[in-house]
Amino acid sequence: MFVDIGAASAPVDWAIDQLERAVSDGGCRCEVVRGHELPEEGADLVVTATGARIGRALLLRAGERAPEGAEAFAIFSSGEGAGRTTVAIGDGPGGVVQAILELTERIPGPDGSEPLLPENPVRGAPANAVRSIARAFVSESADKVWFWDQGFWQGYLDRLTRARFNRFHLALGMGYDFFYQSEVADTYFLFPYPFLLDLPGYEVRAEGLPAEERNGNLEMLRWVSDAATRRGLHFQLGLWTHGYEWVEAPGINYPIRGLSPEIHARYCREAIAALLAACPSIAGVTLRVHGESGISEAAGDFWSEVFAGIAESGRAVEIDLHTKGLDHPVVDAALATGMPVTLSPKYAAEHLGLPYHLTAIRPHERRPQEGAGRPGTSGMAVGLRDVMRLSAGLRTFTRYSYGDFLTRDRRYRVVYRIWPGTQRLLLWGDPAFAASLSRSGGFCGSSGLDICEPLFFAGRRDSPGEEVRSGEEGGHHAYTYEVLGRHLFAPDAPAGQSGLVAVAGDAAPWLRRALAPASRVLPLITMAHCPSAANNSYWPEMYTNMPIVAGAAPHPYRDTAPPRSFGSASALDPEMFSSAQAFAGELLEQEPSGRYTPLQVAGWLDQLGAGALAPLMEVAGSSSPGVAAIAADVRLQAGLARFFAEKLRAAVLFELGGRLRDGEVIAEAVQRYRSARKAWAQLADGARASHPQGDLAFGPSAHLRGHWADRIDAIDQDLRAMETLASASGSTESGRAWLARAEAVGLEPPPPSAVRVTESPSSGGGLAVFARVTTAGPYGPARRVVLNVRPVNQATGYSRLQMRPDLGGFAVSVNGDALDERYDTQYFLTVESVEGRRWIYPGIGQALLDQPYRTVRPRPGREAG
């Protein structure tokens, strides 16, 4: 192998080393020659770059076009016969690294991968400019052990880069949301600067922290950021907390001394400048700029000081602003520094839903809360209302999605952050899901995704309980990184499984087939039933039961509408999914909305659970601990599918029986709930063997820790309350008929439909839409179509426009005044058949992986045609 010196860089050297190791592990020898000129005798493999002289010559000789764009690469043959050379070429160091990694993956191995040197040209370019993994330091006792471990970092950063991630986000100060909590105890790195720096001219310190440890923290941060950079990873430092006073928290371990409101902003400005000078490999800084940072949302001047400190670094450092509570003046202040600016909204609240951006946020999050806050007067907050003036007040719509930030003329890039609320512990791995997620990273010109890693909040807030990271460090979650990274780079990439092979050997193909449907279970549950958008409250993986009978048992779900029961809880995407309460009303009033019903969701969950369990039959006799651990995680997810499917059915029947005042229908709900309870008890029994830790801690509160077995009592309380209501209610003649109707609707799949939609600009910046709809099956032909349309702005609702019959289809024109030329336009159709059934186009699809809307960019002021 000849390596062109003109393509050399530290990341390329790292990648060459990975290739050499892989070849050696495969039982072969790889001789590496570096130079400015090709050897006279030639080389089997040449590694070069498009900007290098050798690279340009080889492209010309082979008649190949150069790969263009960051991280783009090509692998092709030059010459024939004995003089044939394989060329691996990339656009810049990033492209060269990707070319070498592509070759590394093609080394023959136990999974039957392709030969090292491909016969036909291979080309690649990233689908997402930003492919990021975030890791949080949230507990001194749990996280110091890996933060100080260079051996851990070597393997971890290698894993990320080999998986095709290109950014690593180390998040400090993310462990707590508010400073107004008596539970605040562990403040290590919470206000990060005194844990890293002794800033000249200030007497600021973390009381109780030895100077040697503080200096060692800085040295370790420098070492980690340098190590990431050597691998070609953009190192992003998350500074999520800038407050330093913890109200009503007398038991904190490291109080901050020597700081006052008068010098706070200036200290932070000088501290961040000093930190960037001490760690030159920090390429970007992520800032939480809403009230949970400890800074009043009225204190724009504070952030201007921090931004100025970043600019004083003398180099381009990305300013990444978390968008909850963010307003445009703060964005403008960041842009005024001349630094590159990124905004990072949440992808789907603090959870992982299905792989598309929310069609809408929940209504109470969209409406501004006019009286929720008041302007503040200083950098440090003096009251919770002051702290959350925007994120819980005038700009609530920024909390859980992209808000109003996707303007066409924006001067910042947008990267979506996927939070760890849905699935924190069990193994996830679904290549098709990851491919759809990857395609959504470029939504309306966005730049990619920042994904909170598995076990992200393990030990959060110094929560007591057993250690859960040991499995991850042993490789249990390696497949998750592999699946996400490969497909964020190239959605259509072949599904690799080396992470499974390393753990499970010959059983890997079966486990891959089992994990794919299992990995869709919790995202579907989260999207269809979301009693809380906050990960602090809702954890469906180890679900704290929300009662079907309102008030039957205590629960932590407060950001949902009264009566705060399971049936009334909104979906995470309320435009696509109906609650049990709403669906019962639609059924009785014979006015279907077209949204996916809880009974349809239950049917999908049954299919996913069965699809996950079937492949496990092929590995049932395995004695491998790795196979057993993965199979156990699959069974748990299949058990969750069964529990929620039956509970959703129970909730629909309960809501229906309550409206009808029919005890027999409620009794049917009881039977379904008993089935759900049985499913939960079975999965809890299985979890006792596979996860013997009695207290799996992801936070200090009972609903963020414990074990599946701990949740059964609350289910029983709810079930007893439902049984009491069933026995106390009478029966009606129509109850059985409505019960049969509900069951029939639950069996109806979304219709197989052939829909052709065309859009064209109309006068005044409007939009003309034409739809031709044909259907088969029980739904029959379409008789009515409604266009649901809005700007791509989560602060706005949809306009509902009835389309008129036209030329064998349906047509409508949207007046330009109804749109907003600053944004792309988003729409979906609600179709009604002659039988009165309704459904949504384009919908999420039978595989649950499609984008259920279309986005277009009308040309303002131009006529159609």
Side-chain angles (χ1 to χ4, degrees):
M1 175 171 56
F2 175 81
V3 179
D4 182 359
I5 293 296
S9 68
V12 170
D13 289 343
W14 171 86
I16 292 291
D17 181 64
Q18 298 297 301
L19 178 59
E20 288 185 273
R21 291 184 185 185
V23 171
S24 177
D25 291 345
C28 299
R29 190 172 66 87
C30 179
E31 182 180 354
V32 178
V33 177
R34 291 174 169 83
H36 293 286
E37 300 289 343
L38 281 171
E40 291 184 5
E41 64 275 17
D44 291 334
L45 173 63
V46 175
V47 175
T48 186
T50 56
R53 180 176 54 82
I54 292 176
R56 293 193 299 269
L58 289 171
L59 285 165
L60 182 63
R61 187 170 78 179
E64 290 284 342
R65 60 184 174 85
E68 295 182 355
E71 299 184 278
F73 71 90
I75 302 172
F76 59 88
S77 295
S78 177
E80 297 181 355
R84 178 178 177 271
T85 295
T86 297
V87 180
I89 187 169
D91 188 351
V96 179
V97 167
Q98 294 302 326
I100 298 169
L101 291 176
E102 181 72 20
L103 290 173
T104 304
E105 291 179 359
R106 291 169 177 269
I107 294 174
D111 59 349
S113 55
E114 298 179 47
L116 172 60
L117 304 181
E119 291 290 333
N120 300 315
V122 175
R123 308 185 74 89
N128 292 281
V130 176
R131 308 178 305 280
S132 178
I133 282 288
R135 186 179 182 94
F137 187 112
V138 296
S139 165
E140 179 183 15
S141 59
D143 296 337
K144 268 172 131 179
V145 62
W146 56 259
F147 179 73
W148 281 73
D149 185 350
Q150 292 186 6
F152 158 75
W153 284 114
Q154 296 278 11
Y156 181 82
L157 296 173
D158 283 353
R159 175 191 298 172
L160 297 188
T161 312
R162 286 197 304 265
R164 307 299 183 95
F165 290 101
N166 66 351
R167 187 171 92 154
F168 171 60
H169 170 195
L170 177 61
L172 306 180
M174 211 170 175
Y176 291 94
D177 292 343
F178 293 107
F179 284 30
Y180 296 83
Q181 296 171 327
S182 59
E183 66 185 34
V184 176
D186 179 10
T187 62
Y188 205 94
F189 279 144
L190 195 56
F191 179 58
Y193 303 121
F195 292 87
L196 297 163
L197 299 166
D198 179 19
L199 195 63
Y202 296 88
E203 297 296 329
V204 178
R205 69 192 188 283
E207 187 176 277
L209 181 74
E212 295 80 8
E213 185 171 337
R214 179 199 61 219
N215 297 339
N217 284 339
L218 181 63
E219 183 58 35
M220 198 66 214
L221 180 62
R222 182 187 301 115
W223 187 93
V224 173
S225 58
D226 288 346
T229 302
R230 282 196 299 272
R231 291 160 172 78
L233 290 168
H234 169 113
F235 183 86
Q236 190 82 9
L237 181 63
L239 301 176
W240 284 75
T241 301
H242 271 80
Y244 64 93
E245 291 181 329
W246 291 272
V247 179
E248 299 178 357
I252 60 175
N253 50 359
Y254 295 102
I256 303 301
R257 305 301 186 199
L259 201 53
S260 66
E262 291 74 22
I263 64 171
H264 179 216
R266 177 162 51 88
Y267 169 80
C268 290
R269 171 179 177 164
E270 295 183 23
I272 199 167
L275 182 58
L276 293 172
C279 300
S281 290
I282 296 176
V285 177
T286 295
L287 300 170
R288 173 168 55 182
V289 295
H290 66 268
E292 292 173 18
S293 67
I295 305 301
S296 168
E297 290 173 356
D301 290 346
F302 175 88
W303 295 114
S304 294
E305 285 285 288
V306 174
F307 300 156
I310 296 173
E312 289 167 7
S313 66
R315 65 180 193 276
V317 176
E318 176 187 345
I319 300 175
D320 173 9
L321 302 177
H322 183 59
T323 59
K324 178 179 177 180
L326 180 65
D327 61 0
H328 293 282
V330 175
V331 178
D332 291 341
L335 290 167
T337 65
M339 297 289 103
V341 175
T342 294
L343 304 192
S344 49
K346 297 171 184 174
Y347 185 89
E350 294 178 359
H351 303 293
L352 173 62
L354 295 177
Y356 70 86
H357 294 280
L358 299 179
T359 314
I361 56 178
R362 301 181 302 175
H364 67 277
E365 290 153 4
R366 191 177 75 239
R367 292 188 295 269
Q369 307 297 312
E370 293 290 348
R374 55 183 173 79
T377 57
S378 67
M380 285 305 300
V382 295
L384 186 56
R385 286 166 57 87
D386 185 45
V387 170
M388 308 300 288
R389 173 178 173 263
L390 297 175
S391 56
L394 301 178
R395 291 180 62 79
T396 55
F397 57 84
T398 63
R399 294 168 64 89
Y400 296 125
S401 192
Y402 51 76
D404 60 351
F405 295 112
L406 292 182
T407 53
R408 295 177 185 168
D409 62 350
R410 59 185 183 265
R411 294 184 292 139
Y412 46 80
R413 67 178 180 178
V414 174
V415 173
Y416 301 97
R417 181 164 294 112
I418 296 180
W419 283 62
T422 294
Q423 192 156 340
R424 309 180 192 211
L425 181 68
L426 303 177
L427 181 60
W428 184 98
D430 183 353
F433 189 112
S436 293
L437 191 65
S438 174
R439 295 184 183 100
S440 75
F443 181 66
C444 294
S446 301
S447 297
L449 298 161
D450 181 31
I451 302 174
C452 295
E453 65 169 10
L455 307 179
F456 186 81
F457 278 145
R460 189 183 190 190
R461 300 178 182 171
D462 205 30
S463 49
E466 284 80 4
E467 171 62 43
V468 298
R469 279 199 178 274
S470 57
E472 180 241 11
E473 312 306 3
H476 185 67
H477 290 278
Y479 182 58
T480 301
Y481 293 96
E482 180 181 12
V483 168
L484 289 171
R486 286 173 62 91
H487 293 285
L488 287 183
F489 184 87
D492 298 323
Q497 58 183 36
S498 62
L500 284 181
V501 170
V503 176
D506 293 341
W510 299 106
L511 294 176
R512 179 167 60 85
R513 294 177 195 175
L515 272 168
S519 298
R520 295 180 206 181
V521 168
L522 285 163
L524 173 60
I525 292 168
T526 301
M527 194 67 91
H529 169 69
C530 189
S532 177
N535 75 84
N536 280 340
S537 299
Y538 186 34
W539 182 14
E541 184 183 45
M542 196 183 291
Y543 181 61
T544 294
N545 197 60
M546 187 177 202
I548 294 177
V549 181
H555 61 78
Y557 312 117
R558 291 292 175 261
D559 65 319
T560 191
R564 297 193 176 98
S565 66
F566 185 90
S568 68
S570 169
L572 183 57
D573 186 346
E575 284 288 342
M576 288 293 122
F577 294 89
S578 178
S579 69
Q581 187 179 82
F583 172 60
E586 293 171 12
L587 194 67
L588 291 173
E589 295 160 14
Q590 301 187 59
E591 283 291 333
S593 65
R595 293 176 292 179
Y596 297 112
T597 73
L599 301 184
Q600 288 171 329
V601 172
W604 274 322
L605 289 171
D606 284 342
Q607 293 172 19
L608 292 173
L613 292 175
L616 295 186
M617 299 295 293
E618 303 296 331
V619 299
S622 174
S623 61
S624 164
V627 172
I630 295 171
D633 280 7
V634 169
R635 291 190 185 95
L636 272 168
Q637 291 172 81
L640 290 167
R642 181 64 179 163
F643 168 78
F644 276 100
E646 290 295 84
K647 187 172 181 183
L648 285 167
R649 294 182 176 110
V652 168
L653 295 174
F654 178 78
E655 295 292 339
L656 190 62
R659 285 172 178 254
L660 294 171
R661 294 184 173 84
D662 191 311
E664 289 189 21
V665 177
I666 297 177
E668 291 289 337
V670 169
Q671 294 305 313
R672 289 294 190 180
Y673 208 178
R674 287 175 179 160
S675 179
R677 197 265 188 207
K678 180 179 178 181
W680 190 276
Q682 289 174 340
L683 74 87
D685 284 342
R688 286 189 179 96
S690 61
H691 295 80
Q693 303 98 321
D695 188 359
L696 298 165
F698 288 82
S701 303
H703 61 275
L704 295 176
R705 54 186 292 193
H707 198 270
W708 288 271
D710 301 335
R711 303 331 197 214
I712 294 177
D713 285 348
I715 298 173
D716 287 341
Q717 290 181 51
D718 194 21
L719 188 52
R720 287 193 295 270
M722 188 183 291
E723 290 169 340
T724 299
L725 287 174
S727 62
S729 302
S731 62
T732 64
E733 291 185 9
S734 62
R736 282 284 158 189
W738 283 113
L739 187 61
R741 172 60 181 153
E743 292 174 346
V745 170
L747 295 174
E748 291 180 359
S753 58
V755 182
R756 295 181 62 189
V757 178
T758 57
E759 314 112 354
S760 59
S762 63
S763 60
L767 176 70
V769 179
F770 177 80
R772 191 182 302 276
V773 184
T774 58
T775 62
Y779 282 74
R783 72 176 180 189
R784 183 170 178 260
V785 180
V786 172
L787 176 73
N788 308 277
V789 62
R790 71 162 191 191
V792 182
N793 178 355
Q794 297 285 25
T796 63
Y798 284 87
S799 298
R800 320 286 184 181
L801 305 176
Q802 182 151 341
M803 302 178 73
R804 66 183 185 280
D806 186 83
L807 299 175
F810 298 84
V812 69
S813 290
V814 186
N815 191 304
D817 294 340
L819 303 177
D820 188 334
E821 65 180 15
R822 298 174 298 167
Y823 299 92
D824 289 354
T825 297
Q826 181 178 45
Y827 75 86
F828 64 94
L829 307 180
T830 303
V831 184
E832 181 180 331
S833 73
V834 293
E835 300 296 327
R837 298 178 173 90
R838 294 180 187 171
W839 70 94
I840 287 170
Y841 171 84
I844 60 176
Q846 282 296 316
L848 316 179
L849 301 178
D850 294 345
Q851 179 178 277
Y853 44 74
R854 297 178 68 162
T855 55
V856 294
R857 179 166 293 191
R859 289 166 288 176
R862 294 189 58 182
E863 297 286 348

